[in-house]
C-alpha cells in the first residue's frame, strides 16, 4: 500500500512537472510569432514552423506522444532532435556524476569511520564541511578548478558535507539503540561494534542515503559542468537558457525531475525520510 | 544546520547560548557594514572611472575597481544589501506560505494531510536550478534588471517553502497531541481560539528557525546563479555577480580583495545557521 502511494506520488510529480512546463512553453513570449528563433510551442515540432496547434491540450497530447517515442522535439539552437543531443552528452554527465558520487561517499564514509576512532578527524571534517556549505557551490568548484583539480573532485567536495552529515546523524541514532548499548556494556571492540551493530542493521537506510545523494550530485553538476567547460547535460541546460532553447530545456528538466523523483521513491522504499 | 549542530555538540567548548551571541555580534557587524557602507563610501556603485580600471586598493577606492572602473567597495556593499534584502523578502514570503500550508496539513484532517504530503513531495523533487533556468528563459528579452532580480528571488523563495512547511506540519502535529493542548481542549478551547492562543505562539520559534535557515540558502543560491551569469543582472550589483571575476585564472593571486564578497557570504551564512541552531534549541 505504501509502495503504491509512493509510486503514485512519483507519477504525480512527473505529471505536474509536465503540465507546468508545457504551459510555460505554450504561453511563453513570442508564441504567436512565426519565427523558429523564439521559444515557442510551435518550434517543438520536428520541422520548426511546420506544425500548428489549435489548443493547449492538442499541443500537450502531441508533446506527450513525442516523449513516449523518445524524441522530445527539435532543439532551436542546435537544429537537431533533442534526444540526439541528450544521448551525445549523457556519457560525460554520467561519468562525472558517477565519479563525483563515488568520491563523495568514499570521503564521507572514511571521515565517518575515522571519526569513530580519532575524534579529531571528525572535528576537522565537520569544520571543513560547514565551511564548504557556507560558500556558493560555484565558488568551491572554481577554487578547485583553478588549482587544476578534476571536475568530478569539485562535485565530490560540494556533495560530501551533506552526505557526511546524513551519515553521522544515522550513526548517532544507531549508537543510541539498545543492542549497541548492550554490546558496548559487554566490552565489544570498536570494529565489531561498527560492523555488526551499526552498519549491518542499517544497510537499508544506507541504500536510502545512496538514493538521497543522487539529487545532491545532480544539483551540483550544473555549476561544475558550466564552470569547468564539461560538455555534459548540465552545460547543455545552461546553453539552452542562453539560447532560449525551450524544447531542449523542457526535455532536460523532465529528465532531471524523473531521476530526482525516482531516487526519492527509492529512498522512501528503503525506509528513509528522503529530504 | 545539521552539520553545524554536529559541530557544536562535538567540538565547541562553549554553549549554544554563547554561539548564538557570537553569531549575533558577527551578523550585527555585517548589517552595520551594509547599512553604513553607502553612506561612508564616496562613490556611486554604477559610476565608471575609465582611467582607473582594475586598480588596487587605495585611499580613493578602498577595495580597488573592477574591469569597468567601478568602485568595488560600493558595489560589494550595495550588492550585499540587495542580496540580503531580496533574500529576506523571499524567505519571509516562503515562511508565510510554509506556515499556512503546514498548519493546514497538520490540522486539516487526513485528506488535507495526504494532499499536503503530495505537494511537499512534488516541490522537493523539483530540480530547482532547472526550474530557475526555464523561467529565466521564458522572460521577455526586454525585462528590466530589477524585475529579473525579483523574479529570480521569487522562484528561489517559491522553491524554498516546502522544507519549512514540512517542519511546521510536523511541529504542529506534535503539539496537537501535547499535554497542554489536551488540557486546553479539556477546558473548552477549540477551533480558532485553540489555534490562536496555543498553537501560533509555539509555532513561532520553528518559523524563525526556518527563516534563518532559508535566508543563507537563498543568498548562496543567488550567488551560484550569479556566477553562472543568471543571478541579479547588470548593472545592478550583487555578491554572486561580483564573484564572476574569480572565474579568470589569475584573479585571486593578482587581486585577492575580489574574495571579499565570498568571505562576507561565508561569514553571514555560518552566523545565520548558528543563530538557527540556537533558536531551535
Amino acid at each position: 500500500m505504501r509502495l503504491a502511494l509512493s509510486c503514485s506520488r512519483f507519477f504525480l510529480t512527473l505529471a505536474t512537472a509536465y503540465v507546468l512546463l508545457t504551459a510555460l512553453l505554450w504561453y511563453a513570449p513570442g508564441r504567436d510569432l512565426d519565427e523558429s528563433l523564439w521559444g515557442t510551442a510551435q518550434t517543438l515540432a520536428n520541422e520548426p514552423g511546420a506544425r500548428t496547434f489549435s489548443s493547449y491540450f492538442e499541443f500537450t497530447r502531441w508533446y506527450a506522444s513525442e516523449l513516449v517515442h523518445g524524441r522530445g522535439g527539435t532543439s532551436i539552437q542546435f537544429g537537431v532532435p533533442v534526444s540526439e543531443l541528450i544521448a551525445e552528452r549523457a556519457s560525460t554527465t554520467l561519468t562525472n556524476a558517477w565519479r563525483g558520487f563515488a568520491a563523495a561517499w568514499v570521503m564521507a564514509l572514511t571521515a565517518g569511520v575515522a571519526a569513530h576512532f580519532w575524534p579529531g578527524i571528525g572535528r576537522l571534517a565537520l569544520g571543513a564541511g560547514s565551511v564548504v556549505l557556507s560558500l556558493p557551490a560555484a565558488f568551491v568548484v572554481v577554487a578547485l578548478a583553478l588549482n587544476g583539480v578534476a571536475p568530478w573532485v569539485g562535485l565530490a567536495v560540494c556533495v560530501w558535507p551533506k552526505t557526511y552529515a546524513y551519515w553521522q546523524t544515522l550513526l548517532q541514532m544507531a549508537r543510541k539503540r539498545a543492542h549497541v548499548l548492550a554490546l558496548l556494556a559487554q566490552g565489544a571492540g570498536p570494529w565489531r561494534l561498527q560492523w555488526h551493530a551499526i552498519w549491518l542493521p542499517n544497510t537499508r537506510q544506507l541504500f536510502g542515503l545512496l538514493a538521497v545523494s543522487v539529487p545532491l550530485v545532480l544539483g551540483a553538476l550544473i555549476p561544475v559542468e558550466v564552470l569547468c567547460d564539461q560538455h555534459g547535460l548540465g552545460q547543455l541546460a545552461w546553453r539552452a537558457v542562453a539560447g532560449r532553447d525551450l524544447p531542449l530545456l523542457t526535455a532536460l528538466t523532465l529528465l532531471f525531475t524523473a531521476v530526482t523523483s525516482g531516487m526519492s521513491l527509492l529512498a522512501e522504499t528503503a525506509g528513509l525520510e528522503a529530504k | 544546520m545539521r552539520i553545524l549542530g554536529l559541530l557544536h555538540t562535538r567540538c565547541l567548548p562553549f554553549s549554544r547560548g554563547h554561539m548564538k551571541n557570537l553569531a549575533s555580534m558577527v551578523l550585527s557587524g555585517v548589517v552595520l557594514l551594509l547599512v553604513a557602507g553607502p553612506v561612508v563610501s564616496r562613490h556611486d556603485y554604477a559610476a565608471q572611472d575609465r582611467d582607473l580600471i582594475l586598480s588596487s586598493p587605495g585611499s580613493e577606492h578602498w577595495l580597488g575597481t573592477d574591469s569597468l572602473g567601478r568602485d568595488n567597495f560600493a558595489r560589494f556593499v550595495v550588492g550585499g544589501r540587495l542580496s540580503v534584502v531580496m533574500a529576506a523578502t523571499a524567505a519571509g514570503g516562503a515562511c508565510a506560505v510554509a506556515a499556512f500550508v503546514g498548519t493546514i496539513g497538520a490540522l486539516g484532517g487526513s485528506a488535507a494531510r495526504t494532499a499536503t504530503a503530495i505537494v511537499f513531495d512534488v516541490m522537493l523533487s523539483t530540480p530547482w536550478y532547472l526550474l530557475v533556468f526555464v523561467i529565466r528563459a521564458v522572460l521577455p528579452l526586454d525585462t528590466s534588471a530589477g524585475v529579473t532580480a525579483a523574479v529570480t528571488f521569487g522562484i528561489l523563495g517559491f522553491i524554498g517553502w516546502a522544507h519549512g512547511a514540512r517542519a511546521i506540519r510536523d511541529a504542529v502535529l506534535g503539539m496537537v497531541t501535547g499535554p497542554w493542548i489536551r488540557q486546553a481542549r479539556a477546558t473548552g478551547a477549540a477551533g480558532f481560539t485553540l489555534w490562536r492562543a496555543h498553537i501560533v505562539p509555539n509555532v513561532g520559534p520553528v518559523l524563525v528557525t526556518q527563516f534563518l535557515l532559508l535566508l543563507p540558502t537563498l543568498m548562496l543560491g543567488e550567488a551560484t546563479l550569479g556566477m553562472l551569469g543568471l543571478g541579479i543582472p547588470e548593472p545592478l550589483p550583487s555578491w554572486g555577480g561580483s564573484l564572476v571575476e574569480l572565474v579568470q585564472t589569475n584573479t585571486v593571486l593578482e587581486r585577492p580583495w575580489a574574495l571579499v564578497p565570498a568571505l562576507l557570504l561565508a561569514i553571514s551564512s555560518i552566523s545565520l545557521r548558528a543563530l538557527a541552531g540556537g533558536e531551535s534549541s
Side-chain angles (χ1 to χ4, degrees):
Chain A
M1 179 63 195
R2 201 181 152 187
L3 184 66
L5 195 65
S6 300
C7 287
S8 59
R9 280 181 195 169
F10 168 71
F11 288 113
L12 191 74
T13 305
L14 280 187
T16 310
Y18 178 76
V19 169
L20 287 176
L21 287 166
T22 46
L24 270 173
L25 286 172
W26 184 252
Y27 295 106
R31 183 176 70 87
D32 300 328
L33 298 176
D34 191 22
E35 288 180 55
S36 60
L37 283 174
W38 296 97
T40 70
Q42 209 169 29
T43 55
L44 276 167
N46 285 331
E47 290 171 17
R51 190 182 289 262
T52 51
F53 303 99
S54 56
S55 70
Y56 167 69
F57 295 105
E58 192 191 333
F59 165 63
T60 48
R61 228 181 13 248
W62 170 80
Y63 190 49
S65 76
E66 280 286 294
L67 288 177
V68 167
H69 290 98
R71 290 191 292 265
T74 305
S75 160
I76 295 170
Q77 205 177 4
F78 299 96
V80 291
V82 166
S83 53
E84 264 182 39
L85 282 171
I86 292 177
E88 215 171 78
R89 302 213 175 199
S91 64
T92 308
T93 296
L94 282 175
T95 310
N96 280 333
W98 161 244
R99 286 179 179 168
F101 176 82
W105 266 88
V106 168
M107 284 161 77
L109 292 186
T110 310
V113 172
H116 185 75
F117 297 104
W118 303 283
I121 292 178
R123 288 181 201 131
L124 197 70
L126 287 168
S130 44
V131 169
V132 170
L133 287 180
S134 301
L135 287 166
F139 176 83
V140 176
V141 170
V142 167
L144 291 169
L146 290 179
N147 284 297
V149 174
W152 58 268
V153 179
L155 194 64
V157 170
C158 288
V159 171
W160 85 270
K162 283 185 184 168
T163 313
Y164 178 66
Y166 279 132
W167 176 231
Q168 282 297 296
T169 309
L170 197 66
L171 286 186
Q172 273 186 356
M173 279 157 62
R175 282 191 195 115
K176 286 178 190 159
R177 290 200 182 125
H179 70 281
V180 179
L181 294 175
L183 270 176
L184 256 177
Q186 287 166 16
W191 284 109
R192 192 182 155 211
L193 204 66
Q194 275 277 329
W195 183 246
H196 289 285
I198 296 175
W199 283 56
L200 283 183
N202 282 304
T203 318
R204 237 177 110 189
Q205 280 86 346
L206 198 63
F207 277 113
L209 270 183
L210 282 170
V212 166
S213 18
V214 173
L216 295 177
V217 172
L218 289 184
L221 200 66
I222 295 172
V224 168
E225 287 191 348
V226 172
L227 296 166
C228 299
D229 196 25
Q230 293 282 298
H231 301 291
L233 296 178
Q235 194 200 46
L236 193 64
W238 181 74
R239 289 184 69 175
V241 186
R244 301 170 80 82
D245 193 343
L246 286 178
L248 180 55
L249 207 46
T250 306
L252 286 171
T253 308
L254 282 171
L255 180 69
F256 275 59
T257 307
V259 174
T260 314
S261 312
M263 288 302 139
S264 298
L265 177 67
L266 269 182
E268 214 169 289
T269 314
L272 191 86
E273 193 65 27
K275 287 137 259 165
Chain B
M1 199 194 81
R2 195 189 292 251
I3 202 161
L4 272 174
L6 284 169
L7 184 68
H8 175 263
T9 50
R10 294 284 185 80
C11 7
L12 298 179
F14 43 84
S15 68
R16 273 186 191 271
H18 286 127
M19 203 167 160
K20 198 176 159 183
N21 290 343
L22 185 68
S24 306
M25 278 164 58
V26 172
L27 274 178
S28 305
V30 174
V31 170
L32 189 69
L33 176 74
L34 297 184
V35 172
V39 182
V40 296
S41 169
R42 288 166 290 175
H43 300 278
D44 181 69
Y45 74 85
Q48 298 181 11
D49 186 348
R50 292 303 179 100
D51 295 328
L52 276 174
I53 285 172
L54 296 174
S55 71
S56 302
S59 57
E60 185 62 24
H61 297 284
W62 298 340
L63 286 173
T65 56
D66 66 5
S67 54
L68 292 173
R70 297 175 297 192
D71 184 62
N72 275 337
F73 178 77
R75 288 190 72 75
F76 293 167
V77 168
V78 176
R81 277 169 89 163
L82 206 62
S83 297
V84 171
V85 169
M86 293 195 101
T89 310
C95 285
V97 175
F100 182 70
V101 179
T103 313
I104 287 178
L107 301 177
S110 64
R113 207 168 297 165
T114 311
T116 48
I118 290 171
V119 173
F120 296 160
D121 277 358
V122 171
M123 289 302 300
L124 295 171
S125 300
T126 308
W128 71 267
Y129 271 120
L130 285 163
L131 187 64
V132 176
F133 282 11
V134 171
I135 294 180
R136 286 295 294 268
V138 297
L139 279 182
L141 288 170
D142 57 353
T143 309
S144 69
V147 172
T148 309
V151 168
T152 305
F153 274 104
I155 305 164
L156 293 178
F158 171 72
I159 297 160
W161 70 267
H163 280 282
R166 198 154 73 168
I168 287 162
R169 181 201 61 184
D170 293 346
V172 174
L173 275 176
M175 280 172 213
V176 170
T177 51
W180 77 92
I181 297 283
R182 282 210 296 268
Q183 190 188 8
R185 279 188 206 277
T187 53
F192 183 70
T193 314
L194 185 77
W195 183 76
R196 185 176 52 83
H198 297 283
I199 292 176
V200 171
N202 290 301
V203 167
V206 183
L207 210 52
V208 172
T209 305
Q210 291 306 315
F211 176 81
L212 292 172
L213 287 175
L214 195 55
L215 187 55
T217 307
L218 298 189
M219 284 161 62
L220 292 171
E222 187 281 322
T224 290
L225 285 173
M227 286 189 79
L228 298 178
L230 294 167
I232 296 177
E234 290 278 353
L236 290 177
S238 71
W239 280 348
S242 307
L243 293 173
V244 173
E245 276 187 54
L246 297 173
V247 177
Q248 290 151 12
T249 318
N250 294 324
T251 305
V252 178
L253 294 174
E254 288 170 2
R255 288 178 288 123
W257 48 92
L259 288 170
V260 169
L263 193 69
L264 286 171
L265 252 175
I267 289 173
S268 313
S269 183
I270 289 176
S271 304
L272 282 165
R273 284 178 176 152
L275 264 186
E279 200 62 45
S280 66
S281 69

